[in-house]
Amino acid sequence: MAAHSKMNQVASTPIDPTAASDKVNLLDFDRQGLRDFFAQLGEKPYRAEQVMKWIYHHLEDDFGRMTDVGKALRAKLEASCYVGPPKTLFDKAAADGTHKWLLGMDGGNAIEAVYIPEPTRGTLCVSSQVGCGLNCQFCSTATQGFNRNLAASEVIGQMWVAAKHLGNVTHQNRRITNVVMMGMGEPLLNFDNVVTAMSLMRDDLGFGLASKRVTLSTAGLVPMIDKLSQTIDVSLAVSLHAANDELRTELVPLNKRYPIAELMGACHRWIERRPRTSITFEYTLMKGVNDQPEHAKQLIKLMRKLPTGSAKVNLIPFNPFPGTRFERSDAETIRAFQTLLLNANVLTMLRRTRGDDIDAACGQLKGQVLDRTRRQAEFRKRLDQGQGVAHAS
Ligand code: SAH
């Protein structure tokens, strides 16, 4: 799904008036951080929790509308902090209900968050970095290089914006029931900020999602998988893509540093710490590269090393992007691959491609964003020329 949330440089980003000030963005704090900040203001912890509910349950960013917060505290808050979600540059809905938002960051960067509705759940795909440095060969983010880590506020801000737009009502009729850290970037390389954001996704005073509904996806940073298992209760997805080291190193260069045996070791330790959970192994199917029966057999062998029921395979048909040397496996090959796994009792799901008509499927977003870059440039030119622009999308 990764490339779901592609980011890119856009020609101009609206200036955020609060960004230049030294006010604190409350979206950067988890519950404890917020309590500490309120303590610095000389306020009781329950006040922090009251404000937290306004921010995440009512999706309120205006202290003036937080009616049960006293006037004096509101004034104090206005002087020292703000609730600063990323600005929406564009948003677009696909015919199948998939929705994506292009969100403006500082320095002309933009990221995309994608919402994928299904009959029984709604999943938001969230990014963790601007660009990515891991250079996975089949991922369009790799072609953009690494720019910077997202702040916690920018990670949780993607959910805040989407929830507000979708009319998410926490603890009632939730639109976003699941979050996957499968957008742009390697979340374990932005550990602290991602953990803060995920703790807000999990927290009852935040978005209140159960641990199995918040999933972090990693290319396999072994030490950080161990650290994560001791830090926060969320679900784990591992981007495997090949079950032999030679091929995996070619596809996911990080495999050279943390080969499959070490990665599986970390997965074992994860399961030992969470016996009743499972790990999702993502496997993007590329024509003639990793989709042959021999590859399925290698995968089966690897999955069998984990305790029964603790591994799920998620097959993702490759989504092409401009300039890629890979192709999507054909439907028959995909079916055959899945059948081999299922016959060997490996729990296997096939991820359907969604949002094609708005280029919101995995790995498809770059061209679209570049397009938007041009649009942004035109938008800016027209503004510079003093012409009014109603809406650029
Ligand atoms: N860095 C993390 C999270 C981002 S990638 C990780 O590697 O897991 C999340 C998933 O997106 C990956 O598992 C990969 O399967 C998928 N992905 C990336 N590019 C893709 C493409 N072009 N087509 C299909 N899936 C892709």
Side-chain angles (χ1 to χ4, degrees), residues 1-4 6 126 128-129 132 134 136 138-141 181-188 216-220 237-241 252 282-286 314 316-321 324 351 361-364:
M1 185 170 310
H4 266 161
K6 287 304 159 197
V126 169
S128 56
Q129 298 181 314
C132 185
L134 292 185
C136 298
F138 55 91
C139 181
S140 69
T141 308
M181 297 296 312
M182 290 184 188
M184 191 170 188
E186 169 50 51
L188 290 184
L216 181 142
S217 176
T218 178
V238 172
S239 294
L240 193 63
H241 311 306
V252 182
E282 293 156 283
Y283 196 103
T284 298
L285 285 161
M286 289 161 265
N314 198 347
I316 311 167
F318 172 69
N319 285 308
F321 52 91
T324 182
R351 193 181 288 168
C362 312
Q364 285 190 318

Side-chain angles (χ1 to χ4, degrees), residues 262-338:
E262 284 185 36
L263 179 57
M264 294 310 283
C267 292
H268 266 281
R269 295 190 289 279
W270 180 279
I271 295 296
E272 267 164 29
R273 293 196 181 105
R274 293 174 162 70
R276 280 175 306 280
T277 60
S278 60
I279 296 176
T280 301
F281 291 89
E282 293 156 283
Y283 196 103
T284 298
L285 285 161
M286 289 161 265
K287 194 179 205 155
V289 174
N290 63 352
D291 63 353
Q292 296 303 301
E294 71 196 79
H295 300 119
K297 282 176 200 149
Q298 292 165 2
L299 184 55
I300 290 165
K301 215 167 144 193
L302 198 64
M303 294 298 101
R304 283 196 173 145
K305 289 185 182 156
L306 286 170
T308 315
S310 62
K312 277 188 219 156
V313 172
N314 198 347
L315 298 175
I316 311 167
F318 172 69
N319 285 308
F321 52 91
T324 182
R325 62 189 155 102
F326 298 108
E327 285 173 71
R328 179 183 293 188
S329 308
D330 39 60
E332 212 174 298
T333 310
I334 295 174
R335 245 194 322 272
F337 195 94
Q338 186 181 20

Side-chain angles (χ1 to χ4, degrees), residues 104-117:
M105 305 282 142
D106 66 343
N109 292 301
I111 62 160
E112 290 202 358
V114 177
Y115 175 70
I116 307 136

Side-chain angles (χ1 to χ4, degrees), residues 7 49 55-56 140 165 237 269 363:
M7 300 180 197
E49 294 179 359
I55 297 174
Y56 298 102
S140 69
H165 188 123
R269 295 190 289 279

Side-chain angles (χ1 to χ4, degrees), residues 52-126:
M52 199 170 157
K53 265 198 217 167
W54 276 108
I55 297 174
Y56 298 102
H57 290 192
H58 303 289
L59 302 168
E60 184 56 73
D61 58 355
D62 181 351
F63 297 128
R65 284 200 287 264
M66 300 185 181
T67 46
D68 59 359
V69 176
K71 263 203 180 135
L73 174 54
R74 274 193 241 167
K76 228 191 245 185
L77 292 173
E78 258 143 32
S80 61
C81 58
Y82 63 103
V83 180
K87 301 278 171 291
T88 303
L89 302 181
F90 302 100
D91 71 274
K92 211 168 179 182
D96 66 6
T98 301
H99 202 116
K100 70 173 179 178
W101 293 264
L102 184 72
L103 303 172
M105 305 282 142
D106 66 343
N109 292 301
I111 62 160
E112 290 202 358
V114 177
Y115 175 70
I116 307 136
E118 286 170 289
T120 56
R121 62 181 179 187
T123 304
L124 188 72
C125 181
V126 169

